[in-house]
Amino acid sequence: MDFRLSEEQEALRESVRDFAREVVAPAIAEHYEQHTFPYEIIRQMGKMGLFGLPFPEEHGGMGGDYFALCLALEELARVDSSVAITLEAAVSLGAMPIHRFGTAEQKAQWLPKLLSGEALAGFGLTEPGTGSDAGGTQTRAVLDGDEWVINGSKAFITNSGTDITALVTVTAVTGTNPDGSKELSTIIVPSGTPGFTVAPGYSKVGWTASDTHELTFDDCRVPAANLLGARGRGFAQFLRILDEGRIAIAALAVGLAQGCVDESIKYAKEREAFGRPIGAYQAIQFKIADMEMKAHTARLAYYDAAARMLAGEPFKRQAAIAKLHASTIAVDNAREATQIHGGYGFMNEYPVARFWRDAKILEIGEGTSEVQRMIIARDLGM
Ligand SMILES: Cc1cc2nc3c(=O)[nH]c(=O)nc-3n(C[C@H](O)[C@H](O)[C@H](O)COP(=O)(O)OP(=O)(O)OC[C@H]3O[C@@H](n4cnc5c(N)ncnc54)[C@H](O)[C@@H]3O)c2cc1C
C-alpha cells in the first residue's frame, strides 16, 4: 500500500497549485463579488489541458485518469471553489457522459471542443420538483418521426448558460418499462436549439463565479440521433456518473478544507492579541491541528475511492463515504478558519469568507449527506 504520488502526479499537482496561486487567487475575488464567470481563467485552464485530464488522447484528452482530475480539483479548490466546480462539472458531468455512453459520431462531434475547454457541457438531471429522488423526473421526450420532442424543466444546472456552453445532456421520461416504472433516457440538447430556454443565473450564497441556471424545454426538437447511449439506460447512466462525481466532489472539498488550514496558519502567525501572535495560543494551535487532521483523513478517503474505481473494483460505498466525510469536514474547517480570523473572517476580502460561503453546498450537490448515508446503508445490506 502506497499513497505517495508518482513524479508525474506530483508535477501535475504542483503546476495546478502554482496556477491557482498565481492566476486564480489575484483575479477571483472580483468575479466572486460581481458574480461574473471567469472566462479568462477558464481559457487558461483549457490551455493547460485540465479539461482533458481523464480522457484518451484520441479525442484531444491528456491520457490521464480520474485521479489526476481529482488532484487538479483539490489544488484549485484550495484557492477557489467556483473555478474548481466549473472544471468538475465540465469534466465529470459534462464531457464524461458523452465519453462513456456516446456513439463514435457524438464523441467526434463534441469531445474535441469539450476536452480543450473551448466549450462546456451541462448535466441536466435535477428538476424544480425533484432532486434526491431523481427517478421522479417529470421532463418528457416523445419520439416524433426522426426527432425527440422535449417538454419540461431542469433546476440548478451548472455550466448551462455560459457564452461557451455547447450543450446540455437532459434526463427525460421516454416511455414506461414493462414493470410499470418510468423509462428514462438521456438526450443531448445543443445550446440555441429552439424551445430550449436558459433562465438568468440564480442569486447564490456561494460559488458565485460559477454558472448555474434553470432550463426550460418547450416543444424542443432535437434529432433522434441525439439519444445518448441506449434508450431506457438513463437511470443507470446517471447513477454511474454520480458515483464517479462524488469522488471528484470529495477532492474539491478536501481542497477547500486544506485552503482553510493554509489561510489559518498564515493569519495566526500575523495577528496579535494580548501581546502575542494568536498562533502562540494552544487553543488556536489545536483548532488548526484538528483542521489538518480532518483534511488529511478526508484525502485518504478519496484516494481510496479513486484507487478502487481505477482498479475496476466496486467503489460506490467508498465514494459515498469520501463525499460525505470530505463535505462534512470542509464545513467544519470553513467554520473554524472563519473563527480564527475573528471579525476579518466575516469580511469578503478574506479568502476564508469565500470558503465559508462555498462549503455548505458540498453537503448538498451531487447527492446530499442524507443521500450518501442512504447509499452507504444500502451497500451494507440495510
Ligand atoms: C449550485 C448548485 C449546482 C448544481 N448543479 C447541478 C447540475 O449541474 N446538474 C444537476 O442535475 N443538478 C445540480 N444541482 C442540484 C443538486 O444536485 C440538488 O440540489 C441535490 O441533489 C438535492 O436535491 P434537491 O435540491 O431537490 O433537494 P431535495 O431532494 O428536495 O432534498 C431536500 C432535503 O430532504 C432530504 N431528503 C430527501 N429525500 C430524503 C430521504 N429519503 N431521507 C432523508 N432525507 C431526505 C435531502 O437530503 C435534503 O436535506 C446543483 C445544485 C446547486 C445548489
Side-chain angles (χ1 to χ4, degrees), residues 344-367:
Y344 292 103
F346 205 60
M347 298 297 123
N348 281 325
E349 67 185 276
Y350 280 82
V352 290
R354 229 168 46 232
F355 293 157
W356 191 65
R357 288 167 61 183
D358 289 342
K360 184 59 203 171
I361 179 61
L362 298 168
E363 294 185 316
I364 297 169
E366 297 198 32

Side-chain angles (χ1 to χ4, degrees), residues 85 89 93 122-133 154-159 202 204 206-207 210-212 242 361 363-371 374:
I85 191 59
L93 302 180
F123 176 75
L125 175 63
T126 306
E127 300 192 351
T130 187
S132 304
D133 178 18
K154 296 288 172 182
F156 311 132
I157 309 306
T158 305
N159 289 341
Y202 292 94
K204 292 174 291 189
W207 285 0
S210 82
D211 180 78
T212 326
L242 291 177
I361 179 61
E363 294 185 316
I364 297 169
E366 297 198 32
T368 63
S369 294
E370 291 75 19
V371 166
M374 282 159 63

